[in-house]
Amino acid sequence: MAELVEAVGKTHQRPLGENTSIYTVSCNFHFLVNGHSVLVNHNVTPFARTAEGEVWLALCLVSPSVHSDTGHIEATVSSPSGYSVYTFENHCWKKRKKQLILTEGERTMLHLSAQGYTMSQIGEKMYRSVDTVKMYRKRVFDKLGVSNISEAIAFAFNYNLL
């Protein structure tokens, strides 16, 4: 984790007061719930700094992990043209183009699903049939490589698709 913090600090320092919410540090770990181990992803995105440049306000999001094991740690820096991910294999930043683009209908369906609405309720709110909502879900599952709505929501939040 120290290597990751140093890599973000050295490579992507920004002037004080500039928006830092494009930076996200993410890691997977097991969390014990009622004696059962659950693999979760923890994202931290800084929003404000002190006069000395220390992060004092950040958004922390814990969600089910989209990976199957622990140890997945990365820093992501987003830009309009894509994003960069710090990898531990090469100890460097890799630029990646944004490959996953969700349509407005797919994003709306995910937002409403994350709020707990059923498919028929989502259809009513979107003025679409249940079959159209099912089509949005299937396309999202295919694009994200997931098998259920919980994984899709976690993936979308973890990779800033919403």
Side-chain angles (χ1 to χ4, degrees):
M1 200 58 126
E3 177 183 342
L4 188 61
V5 170
E6 185 177 333
V8 172
K10 283 184 178 179
T11 309
H12 298 285
Q13 285 186 345
R14 298 170 67 87
L16 188 62
E18 198 169 327
N19 183 0
T20 60
S21 62
I22 62 169
Y23 303 97
T24 300
V25 176
S26 170
C27 65
N28 290 341
F29 59 90
H30 280 100
F31 192 77
L32 286 178
V33 178
N34 296 328
H36 295 94
S37 181
V38 177
L39 186 62
V40 297
N41 178 268
H42 184 230
N43 275 343
V44 178
T45 303
F47 279 103
R49 298 181 186 205
T50 64
E52 294 79 30
E54 299 291 325
V55 173
W56 70 269
L57 180 63
L59 172 67
C60 297
L61 175 68
V62 177
S63 61
S65 176
V66 296
H67 298 93
S68 58
D69 58 357
T70 60
H72 185 83
I73 302 171
E74 67 183 23
T76 306
V77 180
S78 299
S79 71
S81 62
Y83 62 98
S84 297
V85 176
Y86 186 81
T87 65
F88 286 97
E89 295 84 32
N90 301 323
H91 304 281
C92 65
W93 289 92
K94 287 189 176 183
K95 281 195 165 281
R96 298 190 178 148
K97 291 184 179 179
K98 288 192 179 179
Q99 300 170 354
L100 300 172
I101 299 173
L102 300 177
T103 66
E104 185 63 33
E106 293 164 350
R107 280 194 310 277
T108 301
M109 182 275 303
L110 275 174
H111 273 290
L112 294 170
S113 294
Q115 294 172 19
Y117 289 103
T118 65
M119 282 197 282
S120 45
Q121 290 170 326
I122 292 169
E124 288 175 17
K125 288 194 168 290
M126 293 179 68
Y127 302 103
R128 301 283 187 266
S129 71
V130 173
D131 288 337
T132 301
V133 174
K134 287 179 183 178
M135 179 196 60
Y136 288 147
R137 284 173 66 124
K138 182 179 177 349
R139 288 194 325 215
V140 167
F141 292 1
D142 290 343
K143 285 181 180 182
L144 305 184
V146 299
S147 59
N148 63 54
I149 195 65
S150 297
E151 289 177 4
I153 293 166
F155 189 102
F157 276 114
N158 290 344
Y159 290 93
N160 299 318
L161 298 175
L162 293 178

